[in-house]
Amino acid sequence: MDNGLHFMFCVITAVLLLRESSQTGEKNDPKMHPTRGTDSREPEEGLPALTVTTILEDPYVMVRSAELEGYCIDLLKALAGMLHFHYKVKVVGDGQYGAVSPSGNWTGMIGEILRQEADIAVAPLTVTSAREEVVSFTTPFLQTGIGILLRKDTVSQEVSFFHFLAPFSKEIWTGLLFAYVLTCFCLFLVARLSPCEWSEPKSEENHFTFLNSLWFGAGALALQGVTPRPKALSVRVIAAVWWLFTIALLAAYIANFTALLSSGSEQLPIQTFEDLVKQRKIEFGTLEGSSTYYYFKNSKNPTHQMIYEYMDKRRDRVLVKTYQEAVQRVMESNYAFIGESISQDLAAARHCNLVRAPEVIGARGFGIAATQASPWTKKLSIAVLKLRESGDLDYLRNKWWETSCLHKSRERWSPLQPQALGGLFLTLAIGLALGVIAAVVELSNKSRHAAGHAKKSCCSIFTEEICARLRIKENTRQSQETSGRANA
């Protein structure tokens, strides 16, 4: 009896030791990672078990405290909760996304799916026609494109000699010049018409000549009071409106010029891919075997063909193996990285000395890959659409793209357009119209009083006053009146 108990005890101990050893070996396998948020229900409950291949790329999949986390891990957790499946995540063995090797076989995550080493691939895997021919993709869960990642100090250039004109668009500068000339002309005209500014045109000289009016308007632009000083109400109305116009305009100019200097957006000579090809200072490349590389290879655009030829001839020097290597090389050398714009936005947010050029080409999406005969493709596509409609994909995007450097990022600067100051120009136009109307009213009142004393018609006195103030020759006016009587 004692021997039987002793034998049973030895058997149980051996079984426990073997189980612990197998679990330890699985835990130490570098290709297999437990995931935070993995469905904890055991396979014997009847849940399907999927092997998921992925690639380490920040912020999609990252290793934190011996566990995987990131955007794709959270996405996988949400999909597992909706479709009720158990999964195990493995990092792709060769560290590649998936391309055709010289031997004709597929590498990376695409190759693992074709070899049935994994059921699905959840990663920043671009949907391309070549990959779609061998595997099946779901509806894209992220939209992106191809952009240029640069270091700010490698692309800085000398400030333009006319950099001070940049805060306003050409239309606003043209409108400002027109408003200045029109206002000065209205000052000159109203000062001559108003009897309060110039009571006796035959015996005195009006101070508001056209040159003095131009000087008065320029002084207001410089926020300086200049002579002559207006006396009539009509002239003061125009002067006050012009002063308000210049104060608001200068405030807008100073604010936008400050934003221009702090943003540094005008110090990017490389705005497009064509600019990148024309320059010779900065090397550029992309991920070796990536969809971006084959995009330029297959493109018929002449600029894109030049980019491909450049990278193909210098492939040993300009092509990089990983995204992390690309970012590090951009930060440490004169190198521009061509890749997914959404990943470049994250790099520019986390490394404040990096910037993405404005142009983005080749709109594309990241999808989940599976075998062509897999029943999971349609299920996953529907689940992705539901997550998008519910706003969960936007939540994940905001969660994993929020970094410590985002608060330093600046909105892209642009010069002020006419729409921004349209109300200001309209106010000036109304003020000028009121000033002219006030001057006409002032002159009409004087003409009415003068007509009563001289016992003449108000219209004739009004016409005489206008001719005298505008220096219209008397003989010219009389000849016009004579010709009018003759025609009558």
Side-chain angles (χ1 to χ4, degrees), residues 235-354:
V235 182
R236 289 179 176 179
V237 168
I238 294 180
V241 172
W242 178 245
W243 285 334
L244 292 175
F245 176 82
T246 55
I247 291 174
L249 195 73
L250 287 174
Y253 176 86
I254 293 173
N256 209 33
F257 192 63
T258 303
L260 166 64
L261 295 178
S262 61
S263 66
S265 60
E266 286 297 313
Q267 300 178 2
L268 277 180
I270 299 178
Q271 301 281 333
T272 64
F273 284 88
E274 186 175 356
D275 296 335
L276 185 64
V277 173
K278 290 180 179 179
Q279 59 83 37
R280 293 293 180 267
K281 179 182 178 182
I282 304 174
E283 292 184 326
F284 54 88
T286 186
L287 288 174
E288 184 178 2
S290 64
S291 60
T292 301
Y293 177 82
Y294 288 101
Y295 173 86
F296 288 100
K297 180 179 180 180
N298 300 325
S299 175
K300 303 300 181 182
N301 187 298
T303 301
H304 299 171
Q305 279 295 308
M306 294 174 64
I307 293 176
Y308 168 73
E309 292 174 1
Y310 175 91
M311 295 189 299
D312 189 56
K313 291 179 180 177
R314 302 166 178 81
R315 57 185 310 116
D316 294 336
R317 192 166 76 249
V318 300
L319 297 183
V320 294
K321 301 294 185 182
T322 64
Y323 177 79
Q324 290 76 11
E325 178 187 350
V327 173
Q328 195 68 23
R329 187 168 176 181
V330 172
M331 296 178 62
E332 296 177 352
S333 63
N334 290 343
Y335 180 78
F337 173 62
I338 301 175
E340 302 294 345
S341 60
I342 191 171
S343 299
Q344 293 176 347
D345 288 338
L346 178 65
R350 293 188 174 179
H351 306 282
C352 298
N353 62 332
L354 301 183

Side-chain angles (χ1 to χ4, degrees), residues 56-295:
L56 294 178
E57 181 176 329
D58 189 8
Y60 303 99
V61 180
M62 302 170 290
V63 179
R64 295 288 186 274
S65 302
E67 292 186 350
L68 293 179
E69 64 177 28
Y71 178 94
C72 289
I73 301 302
D74 284 355
L75 174 63
L76 186 58
K77 177 182 176 182
L79 294 174
M82 295 177 65
L83 301 179
H84 306 289
F85 63 84
H86 177 81
Y87 62 87
K88 181 174 290 186
V89 180
K90 65 186 296 288
V91 177
V92 60
D94 57 5
Q96 300 293 319
Y97 289 88
V100 181
S101 64
S103 61
N105 298 321
W106 280 84
T107 62
M109 292 177 283
I110 302 296
E112 290 191 350
I113 292 177
L114 294 177
R115 294 189 297 270
Q116 297 184 354
E117 297 174 7
D119 297 305
I120 60 174
V122 182
L125 190 60
T126 306
V127 180
T128 64
S129 58
R131 292 171 178 171
E132 191 75 52
E133 290 180 354
V134 294
V135 297
S136 179
F137 280 97
T138 65
T139 300
F141 56 84
L142 268 181
Q143 298 294 333
T144 182
I146 300 176
I148 308 171
L149 184 66
L150 307 150
R151 196 173 78 246
K152 292 180 180 178
D153 55 357
T154 61
V155 295
S156 61
Q157 64 177 2
E158 295 183 359
V159 177
S160 170
F161 189 73
F162 296 99
H163 196 60
F164 68 94
L165 298 176
F168 289 161
S169 64
K170 295 179 181 179
E171 293 80 4
I172 289 185
W173 285 117
T174 304
L176 175 59
L177 179 61
F178 178 77
Y180 168 70
V181 175
L182 179 62
T183 302
C184 294
F185 177 76
C186 288
L187 277 174
F188 166 75
L189 178 64
V190 169
R192 282 188 172 275
L193 292 179
S194 176
C196 301
E197 194 69 43
W198 194 31
S199 58
E200 294 295 335
K202 294 182 180 179
S203 59
E204 63 178 295
E205 186 67 27
N206 191 293
H207 295 293
F208 273 96
T209 63
F210 188 67
L211 289 178
N212 285 345
S213 299
L214 291 174
W215 179 246
F216 183 89
L221 281 173
L223 299 180
Q224 298 294 323
V226 295
T227 56
R229 295 180 180 178
K231 302 176 183 177
L233 175 63
S234 55
V235 182
R236 289 179 176 179
V237 168
I238 294 180
V241 172
W242 178 245
W243 285 334
L244 292 175
F245 176 82
T246 55
I247 291 174
L249 195 73
L250 287 174
Y253 176 86
I254 293 173
N256 209 33
F257 192 63
T258 303
L260 166 64
L261 295 178
S262 61
S263 66
S265 60
E266 286 297 313
Q267 300 178 2
L268 277 180
I270 299 178
Q271 301 281 333
T272 64
F273 284 88
E274 186 175 356
D275 296 335
L276 185 64
V277 173
K278 290 180 179 179
Q279 59 83 37
R280 293 293 180 267
K281 179 182 178 182
I282 304 174
E283 292 184 326
F284 54 88
T286 186
L287 288 174
E288 184 178 2
S290 64
S291 60
T292 301
Y293 177 82
Y294 288 101
Y295 173 86

Side-chain angles (χ1 to χ4, degrees), residues 140 355 383 477 484:
V355 62
R477 185 175 64 85

